[in-house]
Amino acid sequence: MGDRASNGRTVVERRSELELVVTRTFNGPVRLVFDAWTKPELFKLWWAPKSMGVPLLSCEMDVRTGGSYRITFGHDAADAMAFFGKYLDVSPPSRLVWTNDEGGEEGAVTTLTFEEEDGRTLLVLQELYPSKEALDQSFVGMEDALPEQFEQLDELLITLGASV
Protein backbone atom coordinates (compact mmCIF):
# COMPACT_ATOMS: atom_id res chain seq x y z
CA MET A 1 0.00 0.00 0.00
CA GLY A 2 1.35 3.39 -0.97
CA ASP A 3 1.16 6.39 1.34
CA ARG A 4 -1.79 7.83 -0.47
CA ALA A 5 -4.10 4.92 0.25
CA SER A 6 -3.19 4.56 3.91
CA ASN A 7 -3.42 8.11 5.21
CA GLY A 8 -7.20 8.04 5.68
CA ARG A 9 -7.97 10.19 2.65
CA THR A 10 -10.01 9.04 -0.28
CA VAL A 11 -8.00 8.39 -3.44
CA VAL A 12 -9.95 8.49 -6.72
CA GLU A 13 -8.06 7.22 -9.78
CA ARG A 14 -8.92 6.53 -13.40
CA ARG A 15 -7.24 3.24 -14.28
CA SER A 16 -8.41 3.25 -17.90
CA GLU A 17 -11.03 4.86 -20.13
CA LEU A 18 -13.69 2.64 -18.58
CA GLU A 19 -12.45 2.06 -15.05
CA LEU A 20 -12.50 4.17 -11.92
CA VAL A 21 -10.89 2.96 -8.68
CA VAL A 22 -11.38 4.54 -5.27
CA THR A 23 -9.35 3.45 -2.24
CA ARG A 24 -9.72 4.41 1.39
CA THR A 25 -8.75 2.95 4.74
CA PHE A 26 -11.36 3.12 7.49
CA ASN A 27 -10.75 2.92 11.22
CA GLY A 28 -12.94 -0.02 11.96
CA PRO A 29 -13.07 -3.79 11.62
CA VAL A 30 -14.21 -5.25 8.32
CA ARG A 31 -17.45 -6.57 9.85
CA LEU A 32 -18.62 -3.06 10.76
CA VAL A 33 -17.57 -1.52 7.44
CA PHE A 34 -19.36 -4.31 5.52
CA ASP A 35 -22.47 -3.83 7.67
CA ALA A 36 -22.46 -0.09 6.91
CA TRP A 37 -22.71 -0.91 3.18
CA THR A 38 -25.29 -3.70 3.48
CA LYS A 39 -27.68 -2.81 6.33
CA PRO A 40 -30.24 -0.19 5.21
CA GLU A 41 -30.56 1.32 8.69
CA LEU A 42 -26.78 1.99 8.75
CA PHE A 43 -26.40 2.88 5.05
CA LYS A 44 -29.02 5.61 5.47
CA LEU A 45 -26.93 7.27 8.17
CA TRP A 46 -23.94 8.07 5.95
CA TRP A 47 -24.66 7.74 2.23
CA ALA A 48 -26.29 11.12 1.45
CA PRO A 49 -23.60 13.87 1.41
CA LYS A 50 -24.76 16.44 3.98
CA SER A 51 -23.52 19.35 1.86
CA MET A 52 -26.01 18.43 -0.88
CA GLY A 53 -28.86 19.02 1.52
CA VAL A 54 -30.88 16.28 -0.15
CA PRO A 55 -32.13 13.62 2.26
CA LEU A 56 -32.39 9.91 1.63
CA LEU A 57 -36.12 9.15 1.35
CA SER A 58 -35.93 5.40 1.20
CA CYS A 59 -33.40 2.61 1.11
CA GLU A 60 -34.41 -0.93 0.20
CA MET A 61 -31.66 -3.53 0.03
CA ASP A 62 -32.01 -7.27 -0.50
CA VAL A 63 -28.31 -7.99 -0.04
CA ARG A 64 -27.72 -11.43 -1.54
CA THR A 65 -26.42 -12.64 -4.89
CA GLY A 66 -29.34 -12.04 -7.26
CA GLY A 67 -31.03 -9.60 -4.87
CA SER A 68 -31.76 -5.98 -5.71
CA TYR A 69 -31.56 -2.52 -4.16
CA ARG A 70 -33.37 0.79 -4.60
CA ILE A 71 -32.23 4.03 -2.98
CA THR A 72 -34.27 7.23 -3.32
CA PHE A 73 -33.09 10.81 -2.66
CA GLY A 74 -35.26 13.91 -2.50
CA HIS A 75 -37.32 16.20 -0.30
CA ASP A 76 -40.52 14.47 -1.33
CA ALA A 77 -41.70 11.79 -3.75
CA ALA A 78 -42.34 14.35 -6.52
CA ASP A 79 -38.71 15.42 -6.90
CA ALA A 80 -37.14 12.10 -5.93
CA MET A 81 -34.12 10.60 -7.71
CA ALA A 82 -33.81 6.82 -7.62
CA PHE A 83 -30.72 4.63 -7.84
CA PHE A 84 -31.32 0.93 -8.30
CA GLY A 85 -29.78 -2.29 -9.53
CA LYS A 86 -28.99 -5.90 -8.74
CA TYR A 87 -26.39 -7.59 -6.57
CA LEU A 88 -24.25 -9.85 -8.77
CA ASP A 89 -22.01 -11.17 -5.99
CA VAL A 90 -22.38 -10.94 -2.22
CA SER A 91 -19.54 -12.62 -0.29
CA PRO A 92 -19.56 -11.30 3.29
CA PRO A 93 -17.51 -9.65 4.57
CA SER A 94 -14.99 -9.37 1.75
CA ARG A 95 -16.77 -8.60 -1.54
CA LEU A 96 -19.87 -6.90 -2.99
CA VAL A 97 -20.68 -6.47 -6.68
CA TRP A 98 -23.73 -4.64 -8.02
CA THR A 99 -25.16 -3.08 -11.17
CA ASN A 100 -26.26 0.56 -11.53
CA ASP A 101 -29.40 0.37 -13.67
CA GLU A 102 -30.98 3.81 -13.21
CA GLY A 103 -29.60 5.29 -16.42
CA GLY A 104 -31.90 3.24 -18.66
CA GLU A 105 -28.99 1.97 -20.73
CA GLU A 106 -26.25 -0.34 -19.58
CA GLY A 107 -24.80 1.18 -16.43
CA ALA A 108 -21.59 0.82 -14.49
CA VAL A 109 -20.84 -2.29 -12.47
CA THR A 110 -19.47 -1.56 -8.99
CA THR A 111 -17.15 -3.97 -7.18
CA LEU A 112 -16.24 -3.38 -3.54
CA THR A 113 -13.59 -5.36 -1.71
CA PHE A 114 -12.96 -5.15 2.02
CA GLU A 115 -9.66 -6.18 3.61
CA GLU A 116 -8.95 -5.99 7.32
CA GLU A 117 -5.53 -5.25 8.75
CA ASP A 118 -4.91 -4.44 12.42
CA GLY A 119 -8.51 -3.50 13.10
CA ARG A 120 -8.66 -1.16 10.11
CA THR A 121 -10.35 -1.88 6.79
CA LEU A 122 -8.98 -1.14 3.34
CA LEU A 123 -11.88 -0.52 1.00
CA VAL A 124 -11.35 -0.68 -2.76
CA LEU A 125 -14.26 0.46 -4.90
CA GLN A 126 -13.96 -0.27 -8.61
CA GLU A 127 -16.46 0.96 -11.19
CA LEU A 128 -16.43 -0.41 -14.71
CA TYR A 129 -18.33 1.75 -17.21
CA PRO A 130 -19.87 0.82 -20.57
CA SER A 131 -18.28 3.86 -22.26
CA LYS A 132 -15.68 6.60 -21.72
CA GLU A 133 -18.49 9.21 -21.78
CA ALA A 134 -20.33 7.49 -18.95
CA LEU A 135 -17.15 7.50 -16.86
CA ASP A 136 -16.44 11.17 -17.69
CA GLN A 137 -19.88 12.15 -16.40
CA SER A 138 -19.65 10.09 -13.25
CA PHE A 139 -16.08 11.04 -12.36
CA VAL A 140 -16.97 14.66 -11.66
CA GLY A 141 -19.68 13.76 -9.19
CA MET A 142 -17.66 11.09 -7.45
CA GLU A 143 -14.61 13.27 -6.93
CA ASP A 144 -16.77 15.69 -4.97
CA ALA A 145 -19.26 13.43 -3.22
CA LEU A 146 -17.29 10.33 -2.26
CA PRO A 147 -14.73 11.94 0.07
CA GLU A 148 -17.59 13.57 1.99
CA GLN A 149 -19.62 10.36 2.08
CA PHE A 150 -16.59 8.45 3.33
CA GLU A 151 -15.97 11.04 6.07
CA GLN A 152 -19.56 10.50 7.19
CA LEU A 153 -18.93 6.74 7.17
CA ASP A 154 -15.83 7.35 9.32
CA GLU A 155 -17.96 9.21 11.87
CA LEU A 156 -20.54 6.41 11.87
CA LEU A 157 -17.84 3.78 12.47
CA ILE A 158 -16.62 5.70 15.51
CA THR A 159 -20.18 5.63 16.89
CA LEU A 160 -20.64 1.95 16.07
CA GLY A 161 -17.24 1.05 17.48
CA ALA A 162 -18.07 2.83 20.72
CA SER A 163 -21.34 0.92 21.09
CA VAL A 164 -19.93 -2.57 20.49
Side-chain angles (χ1 to χ4, degrees):
M1 280 196 290
D3 289 349
R4 290 179 313 150
S6 61
N7 65 4
R9 280 187 310 122
T10 304
V11 179
V12 180
E13 294 174 90
R14 289 182 80 139
R15 291 266 169 95
S16 71
E17 290 199 341
L18 302 178
E19 191 184 3
L20 187 65
V21 177
V22 183
T23 48
R24 167 122 186 192
T25 300
F26 290 97
N27 270 323
V30 73
R31 181 180 53 81
L32 285 183
V33 179
F34 191 85
D35 280 356
W37 282 89
T38 54
K39 292 190 169 174
E41 67 275 15
L42 295 178
F43 191 83
K44 282 202 284 219
L45 297 174
W46 68 274
W47 185 250
K50 289 191 180 97
S51 69
M52 271 176 37
V54 181
L56 207 55
L57 282 179
S58 67
C59 177
E60 297 154 36
M61 303 167 115
D62 177 12
V63 187
R64 61 185 170 84
T65 301
S68 60
Y69 70 89
R70 186 179 182 88
I71 298 158
T72 317
F73 288 97
H75 292 284
D76 55 54
D79 73 349
M81 261 185 346
F83 295 90
F84 52 90
K86 297 219 172 339
Y87 291 102
L88 302 180
D89 181 14
V90 176
S91 308
S94 56
R95 188 173 149 89
L96 274 179
V97 183
W98 68 81
T99 62
N100 298 272
D101 300 337
E102 64 278 342
E105 300 139 34
E106 187 190 354
V109 173
T110 304
T111 301
L112 279 188
T113 56
F114 304 80
E115 206 177 300
E116 186 169 331
E117 196 178 292
D118 303 326
R120 294 159 64 94
T121 300
L122 171 66
L123 175 79
V124 179
L125 181 152
Q126 176 208 34
E127 297 219 307
L128 202 53
Y129 289 84
S131 68
K132 180 183 180 297
E133 294 71 33
L135 172 50
D136 287 343
Q137 276 184 315
S138 198
F139 186 70
V140 177
M142 286 184 81
E143 245 188 334
D144 297 336
L146 266 177
E148 184 179 1
Q149 289 170 295
F150 284 177
E151 273 170 38
Q152 291 171 185
L153 176 52
D154 261 340
E155 289 165 23
L156 175 64
L157 289 168
I158 292 166
T159 314
L160 292 174
S163 66
V164 168

